[in-house]
Structures are given as C-alpha cells and as structure tokens.
Amino acid sequence: MMLIAIADEINGVTRKMHDLEIVHFLLHNAFSMIWWIADGEKPMRFIAYERNGTRGLAVADQTGRHWGLDDSGHGRLAGAIAGGRDALKDLAAALLKGEPIDPDTASFLPPLPSPGKIICVGLNYADHTAESSIQQPDYPTLFGRFASSLIGHGAPIVRPAVSEALDFEGELVAVIGRGGRHIPQSAALDHVAGYSIFNDGTIRDYQFRTPQWTIGKNFDGTGAFGPAFVTADELPPGAGGLNLETRLNGTVMQKASTSDLIFDVATLVALISVGITLFPGDIIVTGTPSGVGAARKPPLYMKPGDVCEIEIEGLGVLRNPIVQEVEGAARAAA
C-alpha cells in the first residue's frame, strides 16, 4: 500500500513536468525512498530558507543535496522537534519528495526563527574566563537573548551606529526536543533533539555598562544562528569532542574542542531545569572559547567588509559578512 501511494503521488506530480524533469524526479525519489525505508534511523539535517519571497524548509539527502517544500508558516520544524524522532523522520520523508533547493540561490533563515527561550552561557571555557580576567564561577553564568537579534547563515551581522566594539563568539547550540523540569543529568541528553552553530555577536562597550550583559548581547542583527539543525544522532553524545574554529577574514581567531566545556550539554540541561521549565525548541547557546577580539592587544573587532566564519566539526560552517548600520534607520516590527 505504501508503494502504491508513492506511485500515485509521483504520477500526479509528473503530469506537470517535462520529460527530462520526470526522469530526474523519478530517479531521485526512487533512491531517496529506498534509502529512507532501508535506514529508518538516518541522521537528518534541516535548513530554513527564503526564495522568491517564500519561506521554505529543506532536508539534505544522502548525497548532500537539499529537497524542500514551502513552509510559509515557518513552524514545521518546531512542530516536528516537539513531536520527537518519529515526527522528524516523517517531516524529512515529506521534504525529500519536494523540489530541489539550491542553497546558493536561497537566503538562509535561522533554523528556528523564534525559539521560546534562548539561554546563553558565559564563561564556560576556562581559557576564555582567564583571558577575561574573571575568576572561574562554579555555577553556569546564564543570560538571555531575544529572537529579534537572530539572523541566518549568510545574512549580514550589523555593526550598530553607536559602537565600533562588535566582537565575535563562536558557540555550539543545543536544541531541546523534549521539555521538562528537574531533569536528571543522567537523562538530560534524551531531552536534546539536535545541535547547531551560533555567533554570539557582542557589543562589548554596551555589555559592560552594567553588571547585567543583556543590552550588549541583544542588538538587532548580531545573533547569527545556523546554517542547519542537525539531529543529535549524527554527532557524539552531547556533541562532545568536536573541533570548533572561528575565522575572521580567513584568519583563525578561536580554536577549541567542545570537550573543553566546563559545564557540558547534559550538565547545562540538568542545572537550568532546576529552576526553568524547558520546552521543545528552546535553545542553549553553550559558551565560547578564548580568542575573542576584546581580549587581544590591541582589541580586534569586526568591521564592515569583514567576513566571520564559525565552523564546528559535523555541523558545518556558519558564515556572515559584516555591515554598518545606517544611522537613524528604523525597522518596523513584523
């Protein structure tokens, strides 16, 4: 019955195609469905994009090509994450029957555009704490980001008109899949659906105007997130032991391993959930290693025309150019 349904769907789609398109479509779907049926635990990589004014969601196939569908509501991935592994598999199978998506001709969006909570962790690598001349805390230093600061892979990070101290921070993101409170550390990774990359762009002079870091961490257009949401099964447990590298104009600025995290992903989930209920789609931005621009002599900040790349082994490269804010420009809320 499943094969009959697939055949009926392909027959309907092919009526709208030219001969060469039909051959390509049939070959792709045949191989994709055989691959998917044969390997139900296949890891998944999702991207959110915008093309010709329409938002969409795509998944990578076994060759690395992306296939997607219109997602104008931009909620399919969040819903699938909340639905668990089977819902993500169903979503991926549906997307694989969509149209080919060339990432080079589309604009990337954050994988999750409006997380319920963006919980960031400061001072979570000992070398970064040391370069900041701060005593290492024995409890995670938490602060919040707002979704209004988020941008996707390839979008410009904006240096604000009020400051030139725009700094880079390459970080691993953990995405919550199953919510809860008082989550034991031994079960914490069962609550993580997958991972991504974050550039926690920071306006340093505003960050340190008060003991609370909120304003300096939340300027519009400074929180780069992406390029993809990668399911947890594609990586080592807790995304441990992955190489992380930040490059500014091709020069390595930060280099570390995620195994150097003082509070690893499981520990963070457990400690945060002591007081805060975590929900599916919440994200934890786990902290940055040493090498930030503010700690250099003299300080080295991002400026218009620069390109910043964050690469994490197994997750890809998050790449963003830097532009200058147009002074006095206003942006209407959607």
Side-chain angles (χ1 to χ4, degrees):
M1 292 300 292
M2 180 178 179
L3 292 176
I4 292 173
I6 293 172
D8 288 343
E9 182 169 349
I10 291 174
N11 184 48
V13 173
T14 55
R15 292 193 191 103
K16 304 175 184 178
M17 296 180 170
H18 297 297
D19 290 346
L20 289 177
E21 291 176 315
I22 291 173
V23 172
H24 179 74
F25 179 86
L26 290 172
L27 287 173
H28 161 69
N29 277 277
F31 285 121
S32 293
M33 292 309 299
I34 290 170
W35 167 68
W36 200 257
I37 293 168
D39 188 358
E41 297 304 311
K42 189 70 179 176
M44 295 167 277
R45 292 170 173 256
F46 297 91
I47 63 168
Y49 65 89
E50 186 170 21
R51 189 177 60 170
N52 300 324
T54 301
R55 289 182 170 186
L57 187 68
V59 69
D61 67 14
Q62 70 275 29
T63 70
R65 294 192 66 192
H66 289 85
W67 302 83
L69 296 167
D70 173 33
D71 186 33
S72 54
H74 211 52
R76 282 191 183 186
L77 181 56
I81 287 172
R85 175 72 189 180
D86 287 344
L88 285 167
K89 286 166 59 179
D90 290 344
L91 174 59
L95 294 174
L96 282 169
K97 292 185 285 184
E99 61 178 317
I101 304 298
D102 181 359
D104 292 335
T105 63
S107 298
F108 281 76
L109 301 172
L112 295 163
S114 299
K117 287 186 283 295
I118 305 171
I119 302 173
C120 300
V121 186
L123 308 175
N124 202 19
Y125 286 81
D127 55 1
H128 175 54
T129 305
E131 73 176 359
S132 302
S133 300
I134 297 174
Q135 183 175 353
Q136 182 64 55
D138 58 7
Y139 192 84
T141 301
L142 305 179
F143 60 93
R145 254 198 186 263
F146 306 127
S148 57
S149 71
L150 298 182
I151 59 172
H153 168 70
I157 294 174
V158 179
R159 188 178 75 171
V162 297
S163 174
E164 294 184 354
L166 172 61
D167 210 346
F168 48 83
E169 292 192 3
E171 310 199 21
L172 171 74
V173 175
V175 179
I176 298 300
R178 194 172 80 205
R181 188 162 175 224
H182 298 299
I183 299 168
Q185 185 172 341
S186 60
L189 294 183
D190 295 336
H191 292 255
V192 177
Y195 299 91
S196 191
I197 306 173
F198 206 90
N199 189 345
D200 187 23
T202 304
I203 312 303
R204 292 294 184 200
D205 48 348
Y206 275 79
Q207 177 188 4
F208 295 120
R209 286 191 174 191
T210 73
Q212 301 293 324
W213 298 348
T214 304
I215 183 66
K217 292 287 189 175
N218 278 285
F219 272 68
D220 287 357
T222 60
F225 177 25
F229 163 74
V230 180
T231 53
D233 52 359
E234 188 159 343
L235 301 170
L242 304 179
N243 293 322
L244 183 158
E245 187 172 281
T246 301
R247 297 183 292 270
L248 185 61
N249 301 323
T251 300
V252 175
M253 298 286 111
Q254 297 178 287
K255 191 174 183 66
S257 168
T258 55
S259 62
D260 296 333
L261 286 166
I262 294 170
F263 304 101
D264 62 14
V265 172
T267 303
L268 290 171
V269 170
L271 290 178
I272 291 169
S273 70
V274 166
I276 300 172
T277 299
L278 294 172
F279 290 94
D282 287 348
I283 68 173
I284 300 173
V285 185
T286 60
T288 199
S290 66
V292 298
R296 294 175 178 270
K297 308 297 182 188
L300 177 64
Y301 294 123
M302 296 186 290
K303 63 185 184 303
D306 287 349
V307 174
C308 190
E309 297 174 306
I310 316 293
E311 181 171 8
I312 299 182
E313 183 181 3
L315 290 174
V317 179
L318 173 64
R319 183 181 189 272
N320 300 89
I322 315 304
V323 300
Q324 179 65 37
E325 180 184 29
V326 178
E327 193 166 0
R331 186 178 72 180

